[in-house]
Amino acid sequence: QVHLVESGGGSVQAGGSLRLACAASGFTYSSYCMGWFRQAPGKEREGVAGIDNYGSTTYADSVKGRFTISKDNAKNIVYLQMNSLAPEDTAMYYCARALYHTCGSLWSRPANFGDWGQGTQVTVSS
């Protein structure tokens, strides 16, 4: 059974940093595209970053240069390092496993991900 558990969320001031972690179990973790998504109240869920089975990464334009996705295959954990946080980054952040091994050009579409964690809240105050 696939299980994804996020951690590391919290409240920070603008300009601060947080590192999210997603612990994965129940599948061959390193063989899939893994993604981080976020959803703010009243808004659609959006892709933040993805990392594929080769370790190639991709980012939403809004977070490029500030966020870094990485993974530790030995520990089955995907990380999202978030720096220079801004109030508009406030959202519930979710980890997800894609239906595919590579992220591809459609990586940011939630429909391409079949398994989701419960989310971790990130709140950035100005």
Side-chain angles (χ1 to χ4, degrees):
Q1 183 178 359
V2 174
H3 201 47
L4 301 171
V5 179
E6 302 95 333
S7 61
S11 298
V12 296
Q13 290 190 330
S17 298
L18 284 173
R19 188 175 78 157
L20 306 183
C22 171
S25 61
F27 64 101
T28 305
Y29 158 82
S30 60
S31 297
Y32 287 87
C33 168
M34 298 292 296
W36 283 99
F37 289 76
R38 66 185 180 188
Q39 188 168 19
K43 294 188 177 182
E44 292 187 354
R45 191 168 295 189
E46 63 173 352
V48 174
I51 185 165
D52 70 13
N53 55 325
Y54 297 109
S56 296
T57 59
T58 185
Y59 298 93
D61 288 342
S62 59
V63 306
K64 280 181 181 177
R66 300 189 299 124
F67 290 11
T68 303
I69 188 171
S70 62
K71 61 180 182 176
D72 185 329
N73 288 336
K75 296 181 179 179
N76 283 6
I77 297 178
V78 180
Y79 299 100
L80 185 68
Q81 177 67 44
M82 305 186 296
N83 299 329
S84 302
L85 283 162
E88 52 266 35
D89 295 315
T90 294
M92 185 72 80
Y93 282 71
Y94 299 90
C95 169
R97 182 186 76 155
L99 300 172
Y100 313 108
H101 298 301
T102 57
C103 295
S105 60
L106 301 179
W107 70 272
S108 61
R109 295 181 61 182
N112 289 329
F113 290 76
D115 298 283
W116 296 82
Q118 83 289 348
T120 186
Q121 178 67 38
V122 172
T123 302
V124 185
S125 58
S126 58

